[in-house]
Amino acid sequence: KQEVTQIPAALSVPEGENLVLNCSFTDSAIYNLQWFRQDPGKGLTSLLLIQSSQREQTSGRLNASLDKSSGRSTLYIAASQPGDSATYLCAASFSGGYNKLIFGAGTRLAVHP
Amino acid sequence: DVKVTQSSRYLVKRTGEKVFLECVQDMDHENMFWYRQDPGLGLRLIYFSYDVKMKEKGDIPEGYSVSREKKERFSLILESASTNQTSMYLCASSGWESSYEQYFGPGTRLTVT
């Protein structure tokens, strides 16, 4: 069964800290991996997409990496700010899966001033 | 910018009513998805569509049906609403031009009383 797991479930850090969110998946036949941000009561905002042929993607203070052989992805947030407080979701699609995403449970991040 | 819109942000319906949730995307995406999100259960796929008039069941299709008569519009139908269908409903779309990155709408918070 294809599964996506995120660790930790929750994280609280002081402003300015660099942090890493972890995501693992059980099937190496990954097609895409996508990181999302969700604010309370809102929809999901796509942050980064990594295709299976790529190793990492960067957008501003965010960097996401993909290691298919170990079944892991990390989201690195540099110089965290209180506005980064949200739930971060990792989701993977697998070959032959009609591009359906399988979601992790998310990491709830709180950045305090 | 990709835009996915949903017909209502909040909806309150009575048990037994037939409920229509509408989703529209403006990027000519071939794939569209309906998810529900519940605390502790994460995001679960209800139905998806990979072309006009084509649909596939997701993980939890029971009690729901869908319609896709036009490429830009994907409707979720609750045939006879029940209290256990109280949830946040999220629509998404993806297409090959954007490497199947999924884009989400703002969500509809449905309460069935």
Side-chain angles (χ1 to χ4, degrees):
Chain A
K1 184 184 174 187
Q2 295 162 338
E3 291 183 345
V4 176
T5 305
Q6 290 186 249
I7 295 173
L11 190 59
S12 180
V13 300
E15 182 176 6
E17 194 160 299
N18 301 325
L19 54 100
V20 174
L21 307 183
N22 294 295
C23 172
S24 61
F25 46 91
T26 55
D27 187 345
S28 61
I30 189 168
Y31 185 82
N32 278 343
L33 189 129
Q34 205 167 344
W35 283 93
F36 295 91
R37 169 189 173 132
Q38 186 176 31
D39 294 290
K42 302 286 179 65
L44 277 64
T45 300
S46 180
L47 297 173
L48 290 164
L49 171 78
I50 311 177
Q51 297 176 61
S52 60
S53 58
Q54 299 171 325
R55 295 295 300 271
E56 65 178 321
Q57 283 285 347
T58 298
S59 176
R61 293 182 294 108
L62 306 179
N63 175 276
S65 67
L66 176 65
D67 185 340
K68 290 191 296 181
S69 60
S70 66
R72 292 165 67 173
S73 175
T74 60
L75 179 67
Y76 176 82
I77 303 176
S80 57
Q81 304 169 357
D84 294 330
S85 299
T87 296
Y88 290 81
L89 293 152
C90 163
S93 62
F94 298 93
S95 301
Y98 283 110
N99 308 115
K100 294 185 295 180
L101 285 176
I102 297 175
F103 282 84
T107 294
R108 192 169 62 254
L109 173 65
V111 181
H112 48 87
Chain B
D1 264 3
V2 175
K3 192 108 184 209
V4 180
T5 57
Q6 296 183 227
S7 49
S8 305
R9 286 286 284 121
Y10 300 95
L11 209 52
V12 180
K13 295 292 181 180
R14 293 189 181 275
T15 302
E17 276 193 83
K18 190 169 187 175
V19 181
F20 293 86
L21 303 183
E22 301 280 330
C23 176
V24 177
Q25 50 95 2
D26 67 357
M27 281 301 291
D28 202 37
H29 284 167
E30 59 269 29
N31 299 324
M32 296 188 76
F33 307 83
W34 274 106
Y35 298 88
R36 64 177 282 178
Q37 186 177 33
D38 302 284
L41 296 175
L43 273 118
R44 294 178 291 169
L45 181 65
I46 305 171
Y47 267 98
F48 67 101
S49 168
Y50 52 91
D51 202 350
V52 176
K53 296 191 188 292
M54 306 302 289
K55 60 186 180 186
E56 290 282 340
K57 293 179 180 179
D59 300 318
I60 50 164
E62 297 78 19
Y64 303 95
S65 63
V66 290
S67 172
R68 192 160 179 209
E69 296 297 318
K70 293 185 177 181
K71 192 174 186 181
E72 68 271 17
R73 188 179 298 270
F74 191 34
S75 302
L76 180 70
I77 304 154
L78 285 66
E79 297 291 342
S80 177
S82 64
T83 55
N84 62 13
Q85 292 179 309
T86 291
S87 186
M88 170 70 103
Y89 289 87
L90 293 160
C91 173
S93 72
S94 70
W96 69 269
E97 301 99 334
S98 52
S99 302
Y100 297 108
E101 182 171 1
Q102 278 197 26
Y103 296 90
F104 279 75
T108 295
R109 171 72 64 185
L110 172 67
T111 302
V112 183
T113 61

